[in-house]
Amino acid sequence: MSPLPFAAGPPLTPDADDARREVLRELTGPEYVAAQPSWLDRAAQAFWDWLGSIRFGGTEGAPAVAAIVLLAVVVVVVVVVLLVYGVPRLNRRSARDLVLFGDDDVRDSDAMRAAAREAASRGDLTLAVAEAFRAIARSLAERGDVAVSPGTTARDVARRAGDVFPDLRAGFADAATAFDGVRYLDRPGTDEAYQAVVELDRRVASSRRVDA
């Protein structure tokens, strides 16, 4: 019985060129191409890798990202509040909270002027002079021209105001004398003294401070 001839076909051990062709054919096949990540998949993975590499203080990864997001939210809230309400007027607010000439008086200068006019209208010139000078002191503090503290006296206000408004130095001194007279020396107020303090207040409002 004669042996069966071998069937013709590809060699059992392909050479290098055949093997390379087979690998390229497999890699370019539709099944392999469909399994590869798309550009969107690669971009998303790169983004998450970047987030994971973030460091904030002593932390990294997700906690660091959360801290940065929280900080960004706080900054946005602060910006929105400033845009809506504006910058707080710290000088004006602090001035209203100070004790003025020994009295716990939180009124603003406009309220004091109104009280002075009301007192003058009913003939109480002693109170009118005192309130008119208080209005000047409060206005100077509100504008940031003169620092007023609980221990500040009328003479202190006149001296400090005269330093920044030298043209009105004499008027400040006279107004402080009138205030001390009706406030501490039991002197009666006069219409002349009241009108002088009111005129000084008007001139201060229209004057610009002189810085040394």
Side-chain angles (χ1 to χ4, degrees), residues 94-113 129-142 146-158 160 179-180 183-184:
S94 62
R96 292 183 180 181
D97 294 335
L98 292 178
V99 175
L100 186 62
F101 304 138
D103 294 328
D104 187 7
D105 194 340
V106 296
R107 294 175 299 167
D108 63 11
S109 57
D110 288 336
M112 293 177 179
R113 292 186 186 99
V129 170
E131 292 286 38
F133 186 79
R134 286 176 180 274
I136 291 178
R138 180 67 84 212
S139 177
L140 291 169
E142 289 172 347
V146 171
V148 178
S149 63
T152 301
T153 66
R155 295 289 181 180
D156 293 332
V157 170
R160 296 169 188 173
F179 174 82
D180 286 341
R183 179 70 171 78
Y184 303 111

